[in-house]
Amino acid sequence: MAKLGNAAAAIKPKGSAKVKVIGGLIVGAIALIILFSIFNFANTDANRIGLHYGGGVIEDKKFKSIIPPGSTNKLIGPGDTVYTYPIDQRSYIIGGDGADTDAADEVTVVSKDNVRLGVRVQVYFTLNRDKDVIKSFHERIGLKTEAYEERGWNDMLQSYFRPQIDRALSAVATNYNWAELYNNEAKKSAFQTAAAKEFTRLLPAAVGGDYFCGPGYNGSNDCGELSFTIQKPMPLDKGIIDGLEAKQRAELAKATQEQKNQQVQVELQSVQQQVKLLGANGYLLKSAIESGKIQFMVIPQNGNVSIPVPTTTQQPGTQPTEPAR
């Protein structure tokens, strides 16, 4: 019995140590869980910038800091939130392949001569990264549209970009006739420039700030202007294009005929001058010679010329013909 008691006493400390180890691991795991529940870690992709806002139970939900693009495991407080926005080149495209709207979508405008035209538009830009500017954008626009999410970003473009594009194009189109915008490259270029200028004026007023820069902006250079391009405005009534093409064909045929008439007139004047100089018979002889109907040769003075006569098959009993001299 004494041996058994000693054995039990020897085993007991080992079990107690194991329990302590397991208990320590459990306590450590609980501590880690508590630690991670107290602290947050933020990450940003290389093409996105983060806005860090407080959100703990003992502090206000206010802006704290900018988290640069490409940050990893940035420690933030418990309950804090990071909103990220794109810093790379972005676009808003109306109509066509790769459009942010339906492929068949167009901006409808009315020309100076009251023809309705469809216009497809491409705008390229970047988000202004200045701390105060992007903070204002987030609090005025981003939170309302959830622009920090991809779907919300697209909704933001549709809500703020599209109306100003429509207004800019409509305001400028009334200065041009439809045919000028359709087939006059200089007029189309002037229309695009004027529309871009008007859109650049309207957009900041609509969103409340200079939140958008040109596609070449990188965060350290000048903001620059947005890139605004349009495709050829097209009449919504396709019959107008058919009528224009028919008119152009008729004008081309008329111009061709007028050119031919001018050529005939020049030739007639030339004939009249030659008749006046050579006389009617002289002109006819000259024309016949030039056309090859009359052949002649120049015979040297006191010279002998042999004129070959075509040979024919000699009939029996006939004398050969001598060449003429």
Side-chain angles (χ1 to χ4, degrees):
M1 293 296 294
K3 291 181 178 180
L4 291 174
N6 292 336
I11 295 172
K12 186 175 180 180
K14 293 182 179 180
S16 177
K18 184 180 293 186
V19 169
K20 289 180 180 180
V21 172
I22 294 174
L25 292 175
I26 293 173
V27 171
I30 294 173
L32 288 174
I33 292 173
I34 294 173
L35 180 64
F36 279 100
S37 66
I38 294 176
F39 297 101
N40 289 327
F41 295 90
N43 301 295
T44 55
D45 293 334
N47 67 334
R48 298 185 74 87
I49 191 170
L51 280 72
H52 174 200
Y53 279 78
V57 294
I58 59 174
E59 63 178 347
D60 295 333
K61 295 182 178 180
K62 61 182 181 180
F63 175 78
K64 283 189 171 183
S65 65
I66 291 288
I67 298 180
S71 297
T72 302
N73 293 330
K74 179 76 173 179
L75 181 63
I76 60 177
D80 288 3
T81 304
V82 174
Y83 303 91
T84 67
Y85 290 94
I87 62 169
D88 52 352
Q89 178 181 304
R90 292 283 158 149
S91 64
Y92 180 64
I93 299 175
I94 301 174
D97 296 336
D100 296 292
T101 62
D102 292 337
D105 189 19
E106 295 176 323
V107 177
T108 301
V109 299
V110 179
S111 66
K112 185 178 181 179
D113 48 354
N114 294 317
V115 174
R116 296 173 67 244
L117 305 169
V119 186
R120 293 181 175 180
V121 182
Q122 301 85 36
V123 181
Y124 298 93
F125 62 95
T126 53
L127 189 63
N128 194 329
R129 281 189 249 171
D130 178 84
K131 184 179 73 172
D132 294 333
V133 175
I134 197 171
K135 173 178 174 290
S136 175
F137 168 78
H138 170 71
E139 295 174 356
R140 292 175 61 94
I141 305 295
L143 285 174
K144 181 168 61 177
T145 61
E146 297 184 351
Y148 45 85
E149 302 287 348
E150 190 67 27
R151 182 173 180 179
W153 178 267
N154 294 332
D155 291 342
M156 180 272 296
L157 295 177
Q158 190 67 24
S159 298
Y160 290 94
F161 273 54
R162 179 58 184 266
Q164 310 319 315
I165 292 173
D166 289 350
R167 289 178 60 191
L169 290 177
S170 296
V172 176
T174 55
N175 297 323
Y176 302 89
N177 291 325
W178 81 268
E180 293 176 333
L181 299 179
Y182 178 74
N183 62 6
N184 187 317
E185 191 60 34
K187 294 291 186 179
K188 175 181 171 293
S189 179
F191 170 59
Q192 176 176 287
T193 300
K197 183 177 180 180
E198 182 68 6
F199 172 71
T200 303
R201 183 186 71 83
L202 291 172
L203 183 62
V207 298
D210 292 320
Y211 299 141
F212 305 100
C213 297
Y217 172 71
N218 60 20
S220 60
N221 56 346
D222 292 337
C223 186
E225 295 183 355
L226 285 67
S227 173
F228 187 97
T229 60
I230 62 173
Q231 294 184 7
K232 176 189 288 190
M234 300 289 291
L236 299 183
D237 183 357
K238 303 307 180 185
I240 294 177
I241 298 178
D242 295 338
L244 176 64
E245 292 176 348
K247 180 181 177 181
Q248 290 176 335
R249 287 194 296 269
E251 290 177 349
L252 179 60
K254 180 181 178 182
T256 302
Q257 186 60 49
E258 288 177 350
Q259 186 176 6
K260 290 180 178 179
N261 293 343
Q262 291 176 358
Q263 183 178 355
V264 170
Q265 186 66 25
V266 170
E267 292 175 354
L268 178 60
Q269 291 176 356
S270 176
V271 169
Q272 290 174 344
Q273 291 176 355
Q274 293 182 66
V275 170
K276 185 177 180 180
L277 179 64
L278 303 175
N281 291 334
Y283 173 74
L284 292 175
L285 178 61
K286 173 179 175 295
S287 298
I289 292 172
E290 289 177 347
S291 65
K293 293 180 179 179
I294 297 178
Q295 296 182 355
F296 71 98
M297 64 177 59
V298 178
I299 301 175
Q301 188 174 5
N302 299 323
N304 294 326
V305 177
S306 296
I307 301 176
V309 176
T311 59
T312 58
T313 304
Q314 183 178 353
Q315 297 296 326
T318 61
Q319 298 295 324
T321 304
E322 294 183 359
R325 296 283 183 180

